[in-house]
Amino acid sequence: MPGNGWFKPWVSVQNAVLLIALCYVIALFGLSKSELAGWVQAIGAIVSIWAAWSIANEQGKRTEAVARRQDAAKCAAVVGILNYAITVIGCGEMVDNEKIYIEQVRLDVGRVLEMLGRIDLLSVPDPVVINAVCTARRAVELFDKKLFEHIGQYSFANHYKSGIASECMREIQYQAYLCNQAAFEIGR
């Protein structure tokens, strides 16, 4: 593969000429075999130290890139859960002739709360995402409380999407937006 070799930047006509010139200069000094061996060892030591540093540096960069990708994936997973919460709260499939099945919505909201509760906040890479999870969880809890207060009310379906559902959905959408921004910054 072109450009992927370790010595690719070092193999060039200029460097070959430089190596030949270096050998010629060393030969001009008339060094004995033992002195020449000492110089070769010194140069070899320098090259090996440089190579070790270069390999470690490259591995560090790779490890850092992998960690950034994993952190961005964690943020994306949180965004996925928040988008699922928005879908559940929107619950267009629960409307039947202007009637909302509050009990079913509360079961689905309970599942969303369970999913939000399972997020390990200590492993979340960014404080913005941690705050977003906590804020979204609080919004869903308030939404669930309001649902419980409205069980048995017949006019509730008329106010569902324009009232408490839209308020909760707006908050979660904003938190999902913040998480997307954090994932973008982490992935850089």
Side-chain angles (χ1 to χ4, degrees):
M1 291 184 191
N4 287 340
W6 280 96
F7 296 106
K8 182 74 172 175
W10 297 100
V11 177
S12 66
V13 174
Q14 294 88 353
N15 289 340
V17 170
L18 182 63
L19 181 64
I20 291 169
L22 182 64
C23 290
Y24 181 73
V25 169
I26 291 173
L28 284 179
F29 285 119
L31 298 175
S32 68
K33 289 185 179 186
S34 63
E35 291 173 332
L36 186 59
W39 277 103
V40 170
Q41 282 181 331
I43 292 171
I46 291 170
V47 168
S48 65
I49 290 170
W50 173 83
W53 175 82
S54 177
I55 290 169
N57 189 33
E58 200 58 39
Q59 286 176 341
K61 287 179 183 178
R62 279 192 224 122
T63 302
E64 187 178 309
V66 167
R68 276 197 316 272
R69 281 194 301 271
Q70 288 174 342
D71 288 348
K74 287 177 186 176
C75 292
V78 169
V79 170
I81 292 171
L82 294 179
N83 286 334
Y84 176 74
I86 293 167
T87 302
V88 167
I89 293 168
C91 76
E93 68 275 1
M94 296 298 158
V95 178
D96 181 27
N97 295 329
E98 299 300 319
K99 183 176 180 184
I100 299 282
Y101 298 103
I102 295 178
E103 293 82 9
Q104 182 61 44
V105 174
R106 287 199 69 224
L107 285 172
D108 292 341
V109 167
R111 286 189 207 106
V112 168
L113 285 171
E114 186 178 321
M115 290 172 79
L116 289 170
R118 286 184 182 166
I119 296 173
D120 181 14
L121 295 178
L122 296 177
S123 72
V124 174
D126 193 291
V128 171
V129 179
I130 293 171
N131 187 50
V133 170
C134 294
T135 303
R137 182 171 174 81
R138 182 67 184 143
V140 175
E141 287 170 345
L142 290 173
F143 175 73
D144 187 46
K145 181 180 176 188
K146 289 178 184 178
L147 281 176
F148 181 75
E149 292 170 356
H150 289 90
I151 289 179
Q153 292 183 1
Y154 292 106
S155 64
F156 180 64
N158 296 332
H159 304 289
Y160 178 81
K161 287 195 175 185
S162 63
I164 64 169
S166 65
E167 179 183 323
C168 183
M169 288 170 58
R170 266 194 313 273
E171 182 63 41
I172 296 172
Q173 285 171 339
Y174 178 67
Q175 298 306 322
Y177 168 77
L178 292 176
C179 289
N180 272 328
Q181 293 297 320
F184 177 75
E185 289 297 320
I186 289 171
R188 281 183 164 190

